[in-house]
Amino acid sequence: MSRHHLLRACAAATGGLVLAAALTACDSSSDSGDGAKTVTVYSADGLKGENGDGWYDKVFAAFTKKTGIEVKYVEGGSGEMVQRAVREKSNTQADVLVTLPPFIQQAAGKGLLQAYRPQGSDQVNGGDKAADGSWTSVVNNYFGFVYNKKELAQAPKTWEELLDGKFKGKLQYSTPGVAGDGTAVLVKAMHDFGGQQPALDYLKKLQANNVGPSSSTSKLAPKTDKGEILVANGDVQMNFAQSKSMPNLGIWFPAKAGGKPTTFALPYAAGLTAKGPHSENGKKLLDYLLSEEAQKLVSSVGGGFPARSDVKPTDANAVELTKLMGGVEVFEPDWADIDKNLTTYVDAWKSATGS
């Protein structure tokens, strides 16, 4: 999400990815193999603040102060980050990879991750971490949509409402197979409509109103806030954090006509890369991301939900987030099936929508 002026040159040079030394290293040493005091994170967007005030910003700063290890940060869509890591597999650049499902499972399946169970991961629920230790959720989250509260008197309620002509050229969702939240649109539609084909039939109709592809979901919220579009996909953590500086942004959860609004968990899951240049530093960062100190900031700073079940925040954001989720049915996708058949599902989506 970070789009600071000083990073624009780097972003242009890396095809839109944000690459930055997040913080200045202190003088203390690390026990990384080559003595370097850096750790490189490849991450899905959503946890870094637009104005340097996000969860990553605060936690990376505290980590650097504590350890002297500088955090270098690369950001993009979940699928984009995995694809980059695959290209670099013979010369791994990242030490830690953070993506949304099913891309973290995809990364593990491609041999990009090595087993490491961070300190505090014993407090993470079984469904939010890999049995083999290849990844662990660091921030819990839920899929959602956003709308412009200024232009729309109330949030849409159903998928079917989005087919209305008033949304033509005013609706956009990020690309399935590239962005984690974009893939989530397909996952939720398949659940809500009762299968792949009914979901594709609907998304084919919706394409008449869709602006077009977007590799990164975080770019859609500012467009929605400004009224360039009226509705977009997103996720609760990212959009809740963005709403603090985007007053017209509202969060909602689509329902199938006659049904209840639904969502599913879409956590930020982190893994230690295989053959990363500074794996020891990567382990230290993963430990810190799951520390009580960092987890207590997830809601108050990041607008998300702690991954650790023993951290139960009571701050104003936590109260508001609990209220937001009220009455929303949470289902659990079959991630093993989605991981196995993701390419097939995405190809079918491309065919149905002409994307």
Side-chain angles (χ1 to χ4, degrees), residues 327-350:
V328 181
E329 181 182 290
V330 178
F331 66 91
E332 186 172 333
D334 184 346
W335 290 118
D337 170 74
I338 294 165
D339 180 37
K340 180 181 178 182
N341 297 300
L342 180 61
T343 300
T344 300
Y345 293 148
V346 172
D347 287 346
W349 169 83
K350 288 178 180 177

Side-chain angles (χ1 to χ4, degrees), residues 13-57:
T14 55
L17 300 180
V18 176
L19 173 59
L23 302 150
T24 302
C26 302
D27 292 332
S28 59
S29 63
S30 78
D31 53 6
S32 157
D34 61 2
K37 294 179 286 189
T38 63
V39 61
T40 299
V41 178
Y42 283 11
S43 179
D45 47 13
L47 293 175
K48 203 171 193 304
E50 293 283 351
N51 303 306
D53 55 357
W55 187 68
Y56 271 162
D57 301 285

